[in-house]
């Protein structure tokens, strides 16, 4: 039976893989024939001959993320949801390009005020419920990242689709250094951060934006 028949629908496939991945511990190498087969359907990465899979926190978002390892290559993160979208003909190149450009802006702030906030933490307790979490989320409080980026682009008279980016070390980056620095300055002058557990972060949503 092929993958598409096994999944039946996109949503069923997503639920099946999500549930399957929950059985694997963080930072432990593993092999899974079904998941490895699925990754060969990634729309933009040619994935084959996988040595192992591993689940680690995403460098930026700190959420559980799937990585794969090929011979003579570093571990690389991968979205299994994109693979399922492509499998069912739901992958949109235009939407993915836009998402990658947005990621380039998000990646630009990872080692600025956000890193400073994280390094100065005295505890990893959620600021709302008080529970300790090994991998808490750093949340854009009151003004989410989406709002700050939209305001920056509007004031700069820029369209996200016209931003030049490049891909390196498993991340998308803004090509123009001056634009990157302008955004960092704008973002860090506005942003306020709050430490939340994943549950409280999801519950808060995007503060109305």
């Amino acid at each position: 039976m092929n993958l598409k028949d096994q999944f039946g629908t996109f949503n069923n496939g997503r639920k099946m893989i999500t549930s399957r991945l929950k059985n694997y511990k963080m930072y432990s190498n593993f092999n899974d024939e079904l998941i490895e087969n699925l990754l060969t359907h990634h729309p933009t990465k040619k994935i084959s001959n996988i040595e192992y899979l591993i689940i680690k926190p995403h460098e930026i978002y700190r959420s559980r993320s799937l990585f794969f390892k090929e011979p003579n290559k570093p571990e690389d993160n991968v979205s299994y949801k994109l693979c399922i979208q492509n499998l069912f003909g739901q992958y949109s190149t235009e939407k993915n390009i836009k998402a990658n450009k947005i990621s380039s802006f998000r990646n630009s702030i990872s080692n600025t005020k956000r890193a400073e906030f994280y390094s100065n933490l005295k505890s990893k307790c959620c600021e709302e419920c008080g529970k300790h979490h090994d991998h808490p989320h750093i949340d854009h409080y009151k003004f989410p990242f989406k709002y700050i980026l939209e305001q920056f682009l509007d004031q700069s008279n820029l369209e996200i689709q016209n931003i030049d980016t490049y891909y390196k070390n498993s991340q998308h980056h803004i090509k123009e250094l001056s634009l990157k620095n302008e955004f960092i300055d704008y973002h860090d002058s506005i942003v306020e951060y709050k430490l939340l557990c994943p549950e409280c972060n999801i519950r808060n949503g995007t503060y109305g934006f």
Side-chain angles (χ1 to χ4, degrees):
M1 183 182 295
N2 62 37
L3 275 178
K4 199 169 182 179
D5 289 337
Q6 281 184 268
F7 292 158
T9 65
F10 168 79
N11 285 333
N12 284 340
R14 179 178 56 79
K15 291 176 182 177
M16 183 185 299
I17 299 301
T18 300
S19 175
R20 199 179 186 95
L21 288 173
K22 287 181 179 178
N23 294 323
Y24 295 107
K25 295 181 179 179
M26 297 272 283
Y27 304 109
S28 296
N29 299 354
F30 65 93
N31 290 97
D32 188 303
E33 185 177 354
L34 178 66
I35 297 175
E36 290 173 31
N37 186 11
L38 174 62
L39 297 189
T40 65
H41 294 274
H42 196 281
T44 61
K45 297 181 179 181
K46 294 182 180 179
I47 302 174
S48 62
N49 193 22
I50 295 174
E51 289 186 355
Y52 62 81
L53 303 171
I54 185 170
I55 298 173
K56 302 188 298 183
H58 191 282
E59 185 176 347
I60 304 299
Y61 311 117
R62 307 306 302 168
S63 56
R64 281 172 56 100
S65 296
L66 178 64
F67 288 73
F68 67 96
K69 174 70 171 66
E70 292 179 304
N72 302 316
K73 294 182 181 179
E75 294 175 353
D76 192 9
N77 70 300
V78 61
S79 169
Y80 64 86
K81 293 179 184 177
L82 284 184
C83 299
I84 302 174
Q85 285 179 353
N86 195 38
L87 182 67
F88 282 90
Q90 297 179 12
Y91 173 76
S92 169
T93 302
E94 184 178 343
K95 286 182 179 179
N96 189 60
I97 290 174
K98 182 179 179 180
N100 290 340
K101 291 181 183 292
I102 291 173
S103 291
S104 71
F105 280 90
R106 190 182 290 275
N107 293 337
S108 71
I109 61 170
S110 62
N111 292 317
T112 58
K113 191 174 180 179
R114 183 183 187 278
E116 182 182 351
F117 174 86
Y118 192 80
S119 65
N120 289 331
L121 288 177
K122 295 181 179 179
S123 76
K124 291 186 178 181
C125 292
C126 175
E127 292 185 35
E128 290 203 356
C129 70
K131 294 180 181 177
H132 179 274
H133 199 280
D134 289 335
H135 302 287
H137 290 183
I138 299 176
D139 182 45
H140 281 70
Y141 176 60
K142 294 184 179 179
F143 297 110
F145 176 83
K146 179 176 182 289
Y147 172 82
I148 296 175
L149 177 57
E150 287 177 350
Q151 292 300 304
F152 173 77
L153 293 173
D154 184 58
Q155 291 183 24
S156 303
N157 197 26
L158 296 171
E159 298 288 341
I160 189 69
Q161 61 268 24
N162 295 330
I163 304 298
D164 291 329
T165 63
Y166 65 95
Y167 187 74
K168 184 178 180 181
N169 298 329
S170 303
Q171 287 188 358
H172 294 274
H173 305 271
I174 302 170
K175 190 172 184 179
E176 186 179 338
L177 183 58
S178 61
L179 177 63
K180 174 183 175 180
N181 290 333
E182 285 175 17
F183 177 68
I184 290 173
D185 290 342
Y186 180 83
H187 173 274
D188 287 1
S189 70
I190 295 173
V191 70
E192 291 183 40
Y193 286 121
K194 197 173 187 179
L195 196 73
L196 299 176
C197 65
E199 292 78 11
C200 287
N201 193 19
I202 292 171
R203 185 173 62 252
N204 283 336
T206 57
Y207 302 103
F209 294 101

